[in-house]
Amino acid sequence: MLEKYGITKEKIAGVFTDLKNRAQAATILRDPQKAQDLVSKINSKLVNIPYVGEYFTDVPTLCLLISDYVKGDYKQVPFAALVGIVVALVYFLPPVDMIPDTIPGAGHLDDAAVLLFAVKAAHNDIADYKKWKGL
């Protein structure tokens, strides 16, 4: 289904292997203010999405994880996993999308695909964090 919109596994994987995206994510993780700005922007975007489907349900947890990491409260997650999560969250914000969010019904498909990729890749780390956080 996603292929008809130009979303392929290769394009999704490319989001995570792009060195510019990875460098931007690492910079965010090393700067508490940038991390907080990202979390705030993500939370604002979630409020404006008319539906928050199953693929977006982990986004608030990912934001909490990032916040706890940059505050130093939770460091048990590998930095590489965090980079992937931040890459996905940055992608979630405009104007990076493969499909503009303004296209009804299809606009958030690429966001969901990228987030799903990140959540699957860091599944065990996210589960450990949820246990630690009591979620």
Side-chain angles (χ1 to χ4, degrees), residues 80-100:
L82 281 170
V83 166
I85 290 167
V86 172
V87 165
L89 291 176
V90 168
Y91 182 87
F92 188 59
L93 298 172
V96 183
D97 290 351
M98 286 180 234
I99 301 174

Side-chain angles (χ1 to χ4, degrees), residues 59-101:
V59 172
T61 302
L62 300 178
C63 289
L64 287 172
L65 173 58
I66 291 166
S67 292
D68 283 338
Y69 178 85
V70 298
K71 287 188 291 186
D73 294 341
Y74 187 79
K75 293 286 191 179
Q76 291 80 3
V77 61
F79 192 74
L82 281 170
V83 166
I85 290 167
V86 172
V87 165
L89 291 176
V90 168
Y91 182 87
F92 188 59
L93 298 172
V96 183
D97 290 351
M98 286 180 234
I99 301 174
D101 291 344

Side-chain angles (χ1 to χ4, degrees), residues 27-40 70:
T27 298
I28 289 169
L29 286 167
R30 290 186 180 105
D31 185 328
Q33 186 57 53
K34 287 182 181 180
Q36 186 55 47
D37 290 346
L38 173 66
V39 168
S40 294
V70 298

